[in-house]
Structures are given as structure tokens and as C-alpha cells.
């Protein structure tokens, strides 16, 4: 039995990495700064094609974003927030009534947080 374990080291021989890392720091691929020539990553570009530099999130939108991120009500891609709320209601998942009131008021964005980004 001891000869078998001695053969294992020879069978699974370790190899050392011979590539030496360079001392130069490479900038990240998406090093996006305002006004730079580097392309903005898709998550930072708003629907109009301009950089999304403003925080458009008020209390109502923050509540709707939490609804978008809650997977208990099913996936949110390819449908409006109201359609997702209605589907969750039909399936008996009991989505918050406040979300329905916000969506039917028409004063908030109907599309989900991920619309146009994924």
C-alpha cells in the first residue's frame, strides 16, 4: 500500500508557473472617466445614449427598484413593471399594493430597472 502513495506524487507532478508578472500596473479595460476617449461600459450609459451621471432615484423609484430586484415575483425582463405585478398577483404571490398604486398613477417609469441594459 505504501508504494501506491509514493507513485501518486510521480503521477500528478506539479509544475511551477514560469511566467513572471510585470511590475507595470495596467489600467483596467473599462477605465471610464468623464471626457476620456475610453468607451463607457453599458451599465453607465442611459437610454438616451448620454452618460448616466445623475442619480434619478427618488423614494418612489427606489421602491420600484426594490420590486425589480425581488425575484420572489418572477423575472422582470421583457415586460413592464405593471405586467409583472399583475402576473405575480394572478399567481398568488401577493405583490405590494403600493407598487400597483405607483404604477397606475403614471408618474413613474413603467419599464424595469434592467430594460435596455441587458
Amino acid at each position: 500500500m505504501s508504494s501506491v502513495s509514493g507513485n501518486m506524487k510521480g503521477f500528478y507532478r506539479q509544475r511551477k508557473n514560469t511566467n513572471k508578472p510585470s511590475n507595470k500596473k495596467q489600467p483596467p479595460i473599462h477605465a471610464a472617466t468623464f471626457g476620456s476617449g475610453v468607451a463607457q461600459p453599458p451599465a453607465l450609459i442611459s437610454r438616451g445614449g448620454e452618460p448616466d451621471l445623475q442619480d434619478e432615484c427618488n423614494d418612489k423609484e427606489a421602491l420600484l427598484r426594490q420590486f425589480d430586484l425581488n425575484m420572489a415575483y418572477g423575472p422582470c425582463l421583457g415586460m413592464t413593471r405593471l405586467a409583472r405585478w399583475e402576473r405575480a398577483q394572478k399567481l398568488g404571490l401577493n405583490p405590494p399594493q403600493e407598487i400597483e398604486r405607483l404604477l397606475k398613477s403614471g408618474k413613474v417609469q413603467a419599464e424595469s430597472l434592467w430594460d435596455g441594459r441587458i
Side-chain angles (χ1 to χ4, degrees):
M1 288 288 189
S2 63
S3 62
V4 173
S5 63
N7 291 336
M8 293 301 281
K9 282 188 176 183
F11 186 75
Y12 293 108
R13 182 168 291 160
Q14 294 181 358
R15 295 183 182 156
K16 293 185 179 180
N17 188 1
T18 58
N19 296 336
K20 293 182 182 180
S22 64
N23 291 338
K24 294 181 182 180
K25 253 192 169 176
Q26 297 289 336
I29 295 172
H30 293 295
T33 58
F34 187 70
S36 73
V38 179
Q40 295 281 336
L44 294 178
I45 295 180
S46 67
R47 288 179 180 81
E50 295 295 319
D52 191 11
L53 301 175
Q54 295 180 5
D55 186 17
E56 302 171 1
C57 187
N58 57 20
D59 292 338
K60 294 176 184 177
E61 186 64 28
L63 187 63
L64 289 171
R65 286 182 183 193
Q66 289 300 317
F67 177 69
D68 290 343
L69 294 173
N70 191 343
M71 292 308 298
Y73 306 115
C76 62
L77 295 177
M79 61 185 349
T80 63
R81 287 172 167 164
L82 184 59
R84 182 172 181 244
W85 188 93
E86 290 171 347
R87 181 189 62 195
Q89 183 70 23
K90 287 178 185 175
L91 293 174
L93 300 175
N94 300 323
Q97 295 297 323
E98 186 177 354
I99 300 293
E100 180 189 25
R101 284 192 300 270
L102 284 174
L103 294 171
K104 288 188 176 181
S105 72
K107 297 179 182 177
V108 293
Q109 183 179 350
E111 299 299 325
S112 73
L113 171 66
W114 306 109
D115 184 56
R117 295 184 182 198
I118 294 181

